[in-house]
């Protein structure tokens, strides 16, 4: 296969470069950047509900048509939308390593226009809202939802229209950054069969599709499409950049060569760290002779061969010892566990997509409908989890392998002081039971949707009404998970069947695997299956009326669109009984109960919520000036005026307006601009969830300053919950642009845009909550969100029990940028037809203002009122940081002549600063730009009556030059929200229309 891929690369590169070098022979379809203003584009309606009006051209709309889809070479919505320069980071994707069971795993992909944030882009299918995927995950510490782009039937799509402008005045919630309207093929006739095989290093993919269309008696039409894709998993070990979590070797020769931010190996390893405690829970000081074995009770298992670290105890098991303290410092860094060998970057996948539509005259009206079904099963792998501080596990003194066990135990170390005859219990500080094997998970996604409607004419009006229902379900099933209760039970055995966490890991290659595994008889009793079953549903009814001629002015006809919509949204998140508090874990040593019984997973209660929404809109297309009026410097002027009001059953009313204008100065020279207000309603999890518990290391400045003592980090329990007092995130969008068409075959556009948002939903943060408590206590009050225990002894204030950190509306955010696009179509010439489209998107400003409380704390700290040593996490300029590169661009070329078509698609993501790294000379590590190309060559066979008569044979590749993504400080070594780890993917495809 390696030779085949190499040969294919050579053929494709030579063919494509030959086509590009000779413009007269090149052709392409509009790229991800294809502009609505281009002379060869289809008429778009996404920016307006009034068809065939000039006001449609007042808005920035990008087109992805069939040729663009072909050039990208994608069979998934994720691959397709990543080629759009205005697409931001993709946070719903498989390369995330956070969240585990609390993440939206599986065949999920999001779209985030402009990088405004997941959930701020509205996705439509044939002009109607697409259901949200049941899975949620956190962005900015709050749960977000998205439409799943992988559920879209790519092979049934005729084109995709991307409105890069706020559109709540027409579509309602979520249309903040813009609208993506997926339009399926309504005109195909015949039967088309398609098969594909593709391969990249370590991964294979096979897909097949059938498409059929036919006219019916009476002038109707039926369209049907079905596809199936099967993909093998891609393991992290298959790529050099992700084979290890330690990326420091890649930083050699840079200023970050010693930045441990590039080493993500974890201290939760088989070389466990533990804390010896007394019967009262106090930390114990243990000595062996004169040697102290613990530091504040903490010790860890050390291989004697790691001579740089040394031992505190005598040797046991011939090659192990105990070392005082945790796994810290350079000497013990090799003991950190490397999780990547246990991880898949992409899971094995089976995906089925089906879509059908029909329209049939019914008297003077037309009955129409749609049905689609999506099913996917993804199988992935992750490292085994480790205990977390929000569910502490204590090893009973009776554990057979306890080095501080009872005096009768054969494994108690000799000559101990500070350890009573009955032994000491030991609290797990950092330990990972790697010998269980990795966790695997199977995520099953199902989505079904049906729509039935009727349309017709009523005088000058066209009307349409439809009812739809969609339901999506996700079952996230983790195999090989660990029950805290059963694990502790196995730890408590007094015989050799007890689980032994003190036997270390792999000698020599300390960070890889566990070479001293426990027997399966000690492991299997505490392994369990875990399910998280989530569902969403969307029920809608709408009625729409439109006319291009409501009445006439001297300047032309005034068009009107108006309509009403009702929808019901539901959300259910049914967590496993071991996660939602039904089956609790109670530490048998301390007696403390915890709501989670799954190792490594925070407790999360079930959520069940719903809401009803009623909305109405109106839009006017008003011609102000036409060419016949002969007004100097104004050939024509058209206005779009629109507004929409919605009533939500849970938080009230919202109303948003929009105004857009198109000014034609002379033929081929147009100015356009728009102003609108948009909103994103709080999603159901943000509004209704009872909250989940997480543990983080925080400094309680009030306690250490008021009680006296050393200020240092300690584990704090934080409860993040929904807030039924949330208000919508409100946004104001404006844009101004220039569209030029100097020649029939050439069009260019330039648009500047600005987005100002207020009330962005987030949290204050656990550390800021503690600082706010300290600030208020200096002024005679306290923060009610910091819940403390009663003071003990000489304490002035008690120890923190937990912190309530509920979701609320934060401070304003401002984003600015511009887009440039050029489109060229040579038309048919003796050298064939050449088409080119290119687009550049630049993010100029991304500023997040602090909330009122954040600003208060920042001012107090700057004035020295909080004392020294305090750093406050600030908002501010986010441009070029994290997943917010300044530049993105894409271009698309196709050339065809007779039976031969050649296509090339190039996309580029600009450089940005990795904020997970250390500051060197005041700067984070700069992640370089990343540019990839996709190409294909297609040959259409002659219709000679043979087996391949009229068949289309295609040879293509994505990431043609096999470029590895740039290194980052993330676990996998690349940013999966912006870049792809697959590498060169070569495919061969055959299709035939019967």
């Amino acid at each position: 296969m390696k030779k085949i891929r190499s040969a294919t690369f050579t053929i494709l590169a030579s063919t494509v470069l030959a086509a590009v070098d000779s413009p007269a022979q090149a052709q392409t379809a509009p790229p991800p950047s294809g502009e609505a203003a281009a002379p060869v584009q289809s008429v778009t309606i996404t920016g307006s509900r009034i068809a065939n009006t000039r006001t449609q051209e007042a808005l920035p709309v990008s087109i992805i048509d069939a040729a663009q889809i072909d050039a990208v070479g994608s069979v998934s919505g994720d691959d397709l939308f990543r080629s759009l320069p205005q697409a931001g980071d993709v946070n719903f994707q498989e390369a995330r390593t956070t969240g585990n069971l609390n993440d939206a795993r599986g065949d999920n992909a999001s779209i985030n226009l402009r990088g405004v944030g997941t959930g701020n882009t509205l996705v439509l299918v044939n002009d109607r809202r697409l259901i949200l995927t049941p899975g949620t995950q956190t962005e900015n510490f709050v749960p977000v939802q998205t439409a799943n782009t992988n559920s879209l039937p790519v092979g049934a799509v005729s084109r995709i229209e991307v409105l890069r402008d706020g559109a709540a005045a027409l579509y309602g919630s979520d249309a903040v950054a813009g609208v993506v309207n997926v339009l399926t093929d309504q005109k195909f006739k015949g039967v088309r069969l398609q098969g594909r095989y593709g391969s990249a290093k370590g991964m294979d993919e096979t897909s097949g599709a059938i498409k059929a269309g036919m006219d019916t008696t009476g002038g109707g039409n039926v369209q049907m499409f079905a596809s199936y894709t099967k993909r093998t998993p891609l393991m992290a070990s298959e790529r050099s950049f992700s084979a290890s979590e330690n990326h420091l070797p890649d930083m050699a020769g840079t200023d970050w060569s010693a930045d441990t931010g590039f080493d993500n190996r974890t201290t939760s390893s088989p070389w466990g760290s533990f804390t010896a405690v007394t019967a009262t829970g106090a930390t114990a000081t243990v000595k062996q002779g004169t040697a102290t074995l613990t530091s504040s009770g903490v010790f860890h298992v050390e291989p004697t061969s790691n001579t740089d670290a040394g031992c505190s105890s005598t040797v046991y098991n011939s090659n192990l010892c105990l070392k005082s303290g945790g796994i810290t410092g350079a000497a013990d860094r090799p003991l950190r566990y490397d999780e990547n060998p246990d991880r898949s970057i992409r899971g094995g996948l089976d995906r089925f997509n089906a879509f059908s539509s029909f329209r049939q005259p019914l008297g003077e009206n037309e009955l129409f409908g749609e049905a689609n079904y999506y099913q996917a099963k993804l199988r992935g792998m992750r490292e085994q989890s480790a205990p977390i501080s929000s569910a502490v596990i204590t090893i009973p003194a009776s554990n057979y392998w306890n080095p501080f066990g009872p005096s009768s135990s054969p494994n108690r170390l000799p000559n101990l002081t500070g350890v009573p005859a009955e032994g000491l219990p030991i609290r797990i500080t950092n330990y990972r039971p790697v010998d269980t094997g990795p966790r695997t998970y199977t995520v099953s996604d199902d989505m079904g949707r049906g729509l039935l409607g009727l349309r017709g004419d009523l005088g000058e009006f066209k009307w349409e009404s439809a009812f739809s229902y969609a339901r999506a379900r996700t079952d996230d099933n983790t195999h090989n998970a660990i029950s805290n209760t059963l694990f502790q039970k196995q730890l408590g055995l007094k015989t050799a069947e007890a689980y032994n966490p003190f036997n270390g890991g792999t000698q020599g290659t300390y960070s890889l695997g566990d070479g001293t595994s426990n027997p399966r008889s000690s492991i299997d009793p505490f392994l369990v299956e875990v399910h998280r079953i989530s569902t969403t549903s969307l029920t809608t009814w709408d009625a729409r009326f439109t006319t291009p001629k409501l009445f006439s002015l001297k300047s032309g006809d005034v068009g009107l669109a108006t309509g009403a919509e009702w929808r019901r949204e539901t959300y259910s998140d049914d967590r496993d009984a071991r996660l939602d508090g039904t089956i609790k874990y109670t530490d048998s040593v301390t007696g403390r109960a915890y709501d989670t019984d799954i190792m490594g997973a925070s407790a999360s209660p079930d959520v069940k919520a719903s809401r009803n929404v009623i909305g109405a809109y109106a839009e006017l297309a008003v011609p102000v000036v036409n060419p016949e009026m002969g007004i100097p410097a104004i050939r024509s002027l058209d206005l779009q005026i629109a507004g929409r009001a919605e009533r939500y059953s849970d938080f009230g009313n919202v109303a948003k307006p929009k105004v857009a204008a198109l000014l034609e100065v002379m033929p081929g020279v147009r100015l356009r601009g728009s102003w609108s207000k948009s909103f994103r309603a709080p999603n159901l999890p943000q509004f209704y969830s009872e909250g989940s518990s997480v543990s983080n290391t925080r400094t309680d400045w009030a306690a250490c300053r008021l009680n006296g003592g050393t200020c240092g980090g300690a584990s704090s329990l934080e409860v993040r919950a929904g807030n039924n007092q949330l208000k919508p995130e409100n946004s104001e969008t404006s844009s101004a642009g220039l569209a030029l068409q100097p020649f029939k075959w050439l069009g260019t556009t330039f648009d500047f845009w600005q987005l100002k948002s207020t009330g962005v939903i987030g949290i204050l943060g656990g550390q800021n909550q503690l600082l706010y408590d300290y600030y208020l206590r200096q002024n005679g009050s306290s923060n009610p969100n910091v819940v403390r225990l009663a003071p003990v002894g000489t304490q002035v204030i008690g120890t923190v029990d937990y912190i309530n950190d509920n979701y609320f509306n934060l401070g304003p955010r401002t984003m600015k940028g511009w887009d440039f696009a050029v489109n060229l179509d040579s038309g048919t010439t003796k050298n064939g037809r050449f088409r080119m489209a290119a687009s550049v998107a630049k993010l100029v400003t991304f500023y997040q203002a602090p909330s009122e409380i954040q600003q208060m704390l920042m001012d107090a700290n700057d004035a020295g009122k909080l004392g020294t040593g305090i750093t406050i996490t600030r908002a501010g300029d986010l441009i070029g940081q994290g997943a917010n590169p300044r530049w993105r661009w894409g271009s698309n070329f196709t050339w065809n002549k007779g039976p031969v078509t050649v296509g090339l698609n190039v996309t580029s993501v600009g450089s940005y600063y990795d904020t997970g790294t250390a500051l060197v000379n005041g700067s984070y590590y700069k992640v370089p730009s990343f540019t990839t190309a996709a190409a294909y060559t297609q040959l259409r066979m002659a219709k000679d009556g043979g087996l391949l008569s009229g068949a289309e044979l295609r040879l293509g590749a994505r990431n043609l030059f096999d470029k590895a993504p740039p290194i980052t400080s993330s676990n996998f070594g690349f940013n999966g929200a912006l870049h792809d780890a697959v590498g060169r993917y070569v495919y061969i495809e055959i299709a035939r229309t019967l």
Side-chain angles (χ1 to χ4, degrees):
M1 180 55 67
K2 183 176 181 180
K3 292 181 179 180
I4 294 174
R5 285 196 294 265
S6 178
T8 303
F9 164 73
T10 304
I11 295 169
L12 282 169
S14 60
T15 305
V16 170
L17 291 176
V20 173
D21 286 344
S22 180
Q25 296 180 339
Q27 178 245 351
T28 289
S33 52
E35 277 284 335
V40 297
Q41 298 295 344
S42 302
V43 175
T44 64
I45 62 170
T46 300
S48 171
R49 291 189 183 271
I50 307 172
N52 302 316
T53 62
R54 289 168 53 84
T55 54
Q56 294 172 5
E57 302 173 30
L59 301 170
V61 178
S62 297
I63 304 293
I64 305 175
D65 70 359
Q68 166 63 24
I69 296 172
D70 285 343
V72 174
S74 63
V75 294
S76 72
D78 184 32
D79 291 334
L80 180 59
F81 284 111
R82 283 176 183 261
S83 67
L84 185 71
Q86 288 78 20
D89 50 325
V90 181
N91 283 311
F92 280 61
Q93 40 88 18
E94 291 185 63
R96 280 174 59 100
T97 56
T98 58
N100 293 318
L101 274 168
N102 293 322
D103 233 18
R105 301 192 294 192
D107 187 37
N108 271 309
S110 56
I111 183 166
N112 178 16
L113 289 178
R114 308 288 195 198
V116 176
T118 303
N120 285 279
T121 301
L122 177 62
V123 180
L124 308 175
V125 175
N126 292 328
D127 210 31
R128 285 181 167 85
R129 186 178 291 259
L130 181 64
I131 189 173
L132 299 177
T133 185
T136 64
Q137 61 189 41
T138 57
E139 283 184 29
N140 299 320
F141 306 105
V142 299
V144 295
Q145 291 180 284
T146 181
N148 181 10
T149 59
N150 281 337
S151 71
L152 297 171
V154 174
V157 174
S158 63
R159 72 183 188 278
I160 299 173
E161 300 174 356
V162 182
L163 172 62
R164 310 186 313 274
D165 198 27
L170 292 179
Y171 298 103
S173 179
D174 305 340
V176 176
V179 178
V180 173
N181 195 4
V182 179
L183 302 170
T184 60
D185 194 344
Q186 303 292 321
K187 299 179 180 180
F188 179 76
K189 293 181 182 180
V191 177
R192 181 178 175 84
L193 303 175
Q194 184 179 34
R196 171 192 282 201
Y197 171 76
S199 175
K201 178 186 176 184
M203 185 195 80
D204 296 305
E205 185 176 72
T206 306
S207 65
I210 181 171
K211 183 177 181 179
M214 60 178 290
D215 291 336
T216 64
T217 303
N221 183 269
V222 175
Q223 299 286 325
M224 292 178 288
F225 171 82
S227 67
Y228 173 74
T229 300
K230 186 176 184 63
R231 185 184 75 199
T232 59
L234 176 62
M235 302 303 296
S237 57
E238 293 284 352
R239 298 291 180 266
S240 60
F241 50 82
S242 61
S244 171
E245 286 185 293
N246 182 14
H247 309 297
L248 279 172
D250 296 300
M251 292 296 104
T254 73
D255 291 337
W256 285 265
S257 59
D259 179 10
T260 55
F262 284 96
D263 184 359
N264 293 291
R265 291 175 298 174
T266 174
T267 55
S268 293
S269 82
W271 306 98
S273 295
F274 309 93
T275 302
V277 293
T278 65
T280 63
T283 59
T285 299
V286 178
K287 292 186 177 183
Q288 188 179 41
T290 59
T292 301
L293 303 189
T294 63
S295 174
S296 299
V298 179
F299 67 96
H300 70 270
V301 177
E302 186 79 46
T304 56
S305 55
N306 188 22
T307 55
D308 289 343
C311 295
S312 299
S313 75
T314 55
V315 176
Y316 70 95
N317 283 8
S318 76
N319 55 11
L320 299 174
C321 65
L322 302 184
K323 177 73 183 298
S324 175
I327 299 178
T328 58
D332 277 326
R333 181 161 286 274
L335 303 188
R336 293 171 177 247
Y337 186 65
D338 196 335
E339 300 159 299
N340 278 7
D342 295 335
R343 290 171 168 167
S344 56
I345 298 178
R346 282 191 168 194
L349 175 67
D350 291 273
R351 179 195 296 138
F352 175 75
N353 244 315
F355 185 89
S356 64
S357 65
F358 79 92
R359 52 183 177 81
Q360 181 66 41
L362 194 65
E364 295 182 354
N365 301 316
E366 183 178 75
L367 185 69
F368 65 95
E370 297 174 2
N372 59 294
Y373 179 69
Y374 157 79
Q375 183 184 63
K377 182 172 288 187
L378 185 140
R379 296 161 295 276
M381 191 167 80
R382 292 290 299 272
E383 73 286 351
Q384 185 53 268
S385 54
I388 54 178
S389 55
S390 58
V392 176
I393 296 177
T394 308
I395 303 170
S398 60
N399 177 271
Y400 179 78
W401 308 101
N402 186 350
F404 302 155
S407 55
S408 59
S409 171
N411 295 298
R412 174 175 170 140
L413 293 179
N415 197 25
L416 294 177
T417 58
V419 180
E422 66 272 18
L424 286 175
I426 295 175
R427 187 167 64 232
I428 295 178
T429 305
N430 285 305
Y431 176 72
R432 189 177 303 273
V434 173
D435 52 4
T436 64
R439 289 169 297 164
T440 58
Y441 57 90
T442 303
V443 182
S444 301
D445 291 296
D446 297 271
M447 188 274 284
R449 171 180 174 266
L451 178 145
L452 186 65
L454 193 67
R455 61 170 69 102
D457 295 331
L458 184 63
E460 294 290 332
F461 282 84
K462 292 185 179 297
W463 62 270
E464 180 177 306
S465 181
F467 175 86
S468 74
Y469 176 76
R471 184 178 185 272
R473 181 181 186 272
T474 297
D475 181 357
D476 188 330
N477 179 201
T478 298
H479 319 285
N480 223 36
I482 295 176
S483 161
N484 291 330
T485 300
L486 299 178
F487 183 63
Q488 190 182 48
K489 180 180 179 181
Q490 200 67 28
L491 287 169
L493 297 180
K494 301 178 181 180
T495 66
E497 286 296 302
Y499 185 82
N500 180 10
F502 306 106
N503 59 359
T506 302
Q507 293 285 340
T509 54
Y510 307 131
S511 66
L512 299 177
D514 186 350
T516 55
S517 175
N518 278 269
R520 294 308 305 183
S521 59
S522 298
I523 293 172
D524 291 341
F526 56 75
L527 298 180
V528 295
E529 298 269 319
V530 180
H531 286 266
R532 176 189 179 187
I533 300 175
S534 307
T535 60
T536 53
S537 73
L538 176 65
T539 309
T540 69
W541 171 84
D542 61 59
R544 305 172 181 182
F545 299 85
T546 181
T547 177
K549 185 179 180 180
L550 179 64
F551 58 86
S552 296
L553 301 174
K554 182 180 179 180
S555 52
D557 297 334
V558 175
L560 170 71
T562 186
E565 177 186 278
W566 169 86
R567 68 178 185 270
R568 177 174 175 80
E569 304 168 352
T570 72
Y571 171 74
S572 171
D573 190 6
D574 184 6
R575 303 293 180 117
D576 194 276
R578 296 182 185 274
L579 285 172
D580 65 10
T582 303
I583 299 177
K584 298 180 183 293
Y585 155 62
T586 301
D587 191 315
S588 62
V589 176
T590 66
R592 182 168 181 178
Y594 301 92
D595 285 337
T596 176
D597 188 43
I598 296 300
M599 183 177 290
S602 300
S604 295
D606 296 341
V607 182
K608 190 173 185 179
S610 64
R611 65 160 55 118
N612 295 323
V613 185
I614 300 174
Y617 69 89
E619 175 193 3
L620 290 173
V622 183
V624 180
V625 177
N626 67 22
E628 288 73 26
M629 297 173 70
I631 297 178
I634 302 179
R635 188 168 187 268
S636 66
L637 174 62
D638 294 85
L639 298 180
Q640 178 196 46
I641 304 170
R644 182 178 178 116
E646 292 193 337
R647 178 172 181 80
Y648 284 75
S649 60
D650 45 12
F651 67 80
N653 302 329
V654 184
K656 300 298 177 184
K658 180 166 189 171
V659 178
L662 177 69
L663 170 64
E664 187 173 25
V665 179
M666 63 180 68
V669 180
R670 296 170 180 167
L671 300 175
R672 62 191 185 187
S674 69
W675 171 88
S676 66
K677 289 189 174 182
S678 299
F679 73 101
R680 186 180 74 84
N683 63 43
L684 293 173
Q686 291 170 354
F687 211 79
Y688 291 104
S689 64
E690 295 183 19
S692 58
S693 301
V694 296
S695 292
N696 289 295
T697 300
R698 308 295 190 195
T699 301
D700 186 357
W701 294 98
C704 66
R705 294 274 171 85
L706 300 179
N707 291 338
T710 302
C711 290
S715 178
S716 295
L717 183 65
E718 299 169 16
V719 180
R720 298 171 183 167
N723 179 357
N724 61 13
Q725 300 301 309
L726 285 173
K727 299 300 181 183
E729 298 179 356
N730 291 300
S731 300
E732 181 177 328
T733 306
S734 57
S735 67
L738 171 66
L740 300 175
Q741 191 171 332
F743 308 102
K744 183 179 179 180
W745 48 268
L746 178 66
T748 65
T749 60
F750 178 87
D751 293 284
F752 174 82
W753 60 272
Q754 177 176 273
L755 175 66
K756 294 182 178 180
S757 301
T758 58
V760 176
I761 297 171
I763 61 173
L764 183 60
Q767 187 62 72
N768 283 341
Q769 292 280 11
L770 289 168
L771 281 170
Y772 188 46
D773 186 56
Y774 178 42
Y775 172 83
L776 292 176
R777 287 180 183 277
Q778 289 180 316
N779 295 279
S781 61
S782 63
N783 181 1
N785 288 323
V786 177
V787 180
R788 297 180 180 274
L789 302 173
V792 177
T794 60
Q795 284 185 333
V796 176
I797 60 173
T799 303
V800 172
D801 189 20
Y802 61 92
I803 301 169
N804 283 319
D805 201 13
N806 297 343
Y807 314 136
F808 75 110
N809 296 101
L810 296 172
R813 173 188 295 167
T814 300
M815 300 178 70
K816 299 178 183 178
W818 56 258
D819 303 319
F820 173 76
V822 58
N823 293 267
L824 181 150
D825 187 346
S826 70
T828 302
T829 71
K830 65 178 182 180
N831 293 316
R833 184 181 182 187
F834 170 75
R835 286 186 289 167
M836 182 276 291
S839 178
V840 179
K842 184 178 183 182
L843 185 62
V844 177
T845 301
F846 193 158
Y847 182 82
Q848 175 67 60
S851 67
E852 182 180 348
I853 294 177
Q854 276 183 305
Q855 189 63 58
M856 186 187 304
L857 293 174
M858 290 160 57
D859 292 342
N861 196 44
D862 292 343
K865 296 180 180 179
L866 300 181
T868 60
I870 294 178
T871 300
I872 297 175
T873 301
R874 296 172 177 255
D877 189 4
L878 304 178
I879 189 73
Q881 298 184 32
N884 303 310
R886 291 180 182 272
W887 294 93
R888 294 183 71 143
W889 62 267
S891 59
N892 184 271
F893 309 82
T894 61
W895 169 83
N896 82 289
K897 184 177 182 181
V900 178
T901 301
V902 176
L904 173 68
N905 180 272
V906 182
T907 59
S908 181
V909 177
S911 61
Y912 64 93
Y913 291 95
D914 184 348
T915 55
T917 65
L919 286 168
V920 177
N921 298 322
S923 177
Y924 294 110
Y925 173 73
K926 188 175 184 179
V927 179
S929 61
F930 184 55
T931 303
T932 59
Y936 73 91
T937 299
Q938 179 176 294
L939 175 65
R940 187 176 66 252
M941 307 296 289
K943 294 185 178 180
D944 56 6
L947 180 63
L948 297 179
S949 176
E952 298 168 1
L953 304 179
R954 175 176 297 182
L955 182 64
R958 298 202 303 266
N959 196 346
L960 184 61
F961 300 99
D962 199 22
K963 294 186 65 175
I967 292 294
T968 69
S969 64
S970 63
N971 294 73
F972 281 135
F974 75 99
N975 187 343
L978 295 175
H979 306 137
D980 189 273
V982 173
R984 184 189 297 137
Y985 170 85
V986 178
Y987 64 91
I988 184 169
E989 182 178 294
I990 181 170
R992 184 181 179 190
T993 301
L994 305 178

